[in-house]
Amino acid sequence: MTDNHTTKHPLTLLGLGDMGTALARTWLAAGHPLTVWNRTAAKAEALAADGATVAADPAGAVAANGLVVLCLLDDASIDSVLKDVDLSGRDLVNLTTGTPAEGRARAAWAAERGARFVDGGIMATPTMIGVPDAGGYVFYSGSRTLFDTHRTALEVPAGARFVGEDPGHAALHDVALLSAMYGMFAGISHAYALIEGEDIAPNDLAPLLSEWLGAMGFFVGNAGERLTSRNLTTGVVSNLAMQVAASGTLLRTAAEQGVSAELIAPYLELMRRRLDADPAAHGVEDTVGAITLLRSGLRTP
């Protein structure tokens, strides 16, 4: 590989867990001069052979470059690692997993110390980092100027998607997508539990599940459109009254199979509550209306 460090963006990375190490190796492979620090020094030393500069402490790592990326254990770790470290004039990109409130508070904390700040939410596993076709990307929010300045470097490990100047929005997007993922995992887990002990091989059910879930993917866009327009009744194919009536079959089948309904019962109950509130009005809606019960800030049209 041609040594083009002189034309590549230098940066510092604090935190070398599985994700941090994957980020580091990707930046190094792309020729970016990288200074690293990790609480367990051996993880940092392992990257020296790849060309990383190992800092003796966080202060030295931060002083080395204008762009400082954080990939630590949690939000509290940032305080312990950067306590008393001079951050003035630095651009901080926080890839530490956190909540929207933590992102906003951390942006204010950085500003008080004279630093620009962008928060990030990584939508990838370590094995997806540096693999263009793997589909991984990172949400960013906060200082648009910082993001635009360093976008080329930030896009090296994974795609970069800026989602607004509210520093809490990267984490919010991250958690929203992960919450949907775990909800899907819950339904898949329930489906496999239903066939346990039957003459149905899980490998035979797997392609059927994938096909069906793909076909039901329309609900994502449908829900977004209905929540935006507040129109819950136009073009409804399977209304709430019918779906609530049919939900009893799901619960009886679970009982017959000796399977706990704890993974699907809460959503079925939410639909029932929506219907019971006004059967005539809500019965003709689709199931998107049930979302309005989850948060008081969402109101029925």
Side-chain angles (χ1 to χ4, degrees):
M1 178 183 295
T2 301
D3 186 355
N4 56 1
H5 281 196
T6 58
T7 62
K8 293 291 186 174
H9 201 100
L11 68 156
T12 287
L13 175 62
L14 303 180
L16 296 170
D18 290 345
M19 181 60 74
T21 297
L23 293 170
R25 293 194 184 283
T26 303
W27 273 313
L28 288 167
H32 288 266
L34 181 68
T35 299
V36 297
W37 175 87
N38 191 68
R39 195 182 302 275
T40 303
K43 291 185 176 181
E45 294 293 345
L47 292 169
D50 294 327
T53 299
V54 179
D57 53 38
V62 170
N65 297 298
L67 174 59
V68 179
V69 179
L70 310 176
C71 191
L72 301 168
L73 177 63
D74 53 26
D75 185 72
S77 300
I78 299 174
D79 288 320
S80 63
V81 169
L82 294 179
K83 181 181 181 181
D84 300 325
V85 173
D86 182 8
L87 301 178
S88 58
R90 293 297 180 265
D91 286 346
L92 298 184
V93 175
N94 181 32
L95 300 184
T96 304
T97 301
T99 69
E102 288 171 342
R104 293 175 182 125
R106 192 56 62 187
W109 170 90
E112 290 171 359
R113 287 156 179 79
R116 294 190 297 187
F117 180 86
V118 159
D119 202 45
I122 302 176
M123 301 305 300
T125 62
T127 57
M128 297 166 70
I129 297 299
V131 182
D133 296 332
Y137 58 89
V138 182
F139 288 122
Y140 292 97
S141 64
S143 169
R144 181 74 200 223
T145 301
L146 183 162
F147 176 77
D148 288 341
T149 299
H150 302 294
R151 181 167 190 161
T152 299
L154 295 177
E155 288 181 330
V156 170
R161 303 189 183 188
F162 189 79
V163 290
E165 296 192 349
D166 183 328
H169 279 183
L172 188 56
H173 279 73
D174 179 27
V175 173
L177 267 61
L178 291 176
S179 297
M181 178 191 75
Y182 281 114
M184 180 182 69
F185 287 175
I188 293 170
S189 298
H190 183 83
Y192 277 121
L194 287 176
I195 67 166
E196 189 77 14
E198 296 284 343
D199 188 20
I200 302 173
N203 283 342
D204 290 337
L205 186 67
L208 301 176
L209 275 173
S210 294
E211 181 182 7
W212 179 246
L213 292 175
M216 291 299 101
F218 78 90
F219 181 78
V220 177
N222 177 60
E225 290 175 5
R226 292 191 183 282
L227 289 172
T228 299
S229 68
R230 291 295 195 256
N231 182 345
L232 304 181
T233 58
T234 300
V236 173
V237 175
S238 182
N239 65 52
L240 185 64
M242 182 181 72
Q243 295 210 44
V244 169
S247 68
T249 301
L250 306 185
L251 298 174
R252 290 195 304 275
T253 299
E256 289 175 6
Q257 296 298 107
V259 171
S260 169
E262 63 191 285
L263 294 178
I264 64 168
Y267 184 66
L268 300 181
E269 176 59 23
L270 196 69
M271 291 195 302
R272 184 176 297 280
R273 282 172 49 205
R274 174 70 174 177
L275 180 64
D276 289 347
D278 190 339
H282 300 327
V284 296
E285 300 171 352
D286 73 2
T287 60
V288 173
I291 299 171
T292 64
L293 300 181
L294 294 174
R295 181 174 174 181
S296 59
L298 294 176
R299 296 290 184 237
T300 304

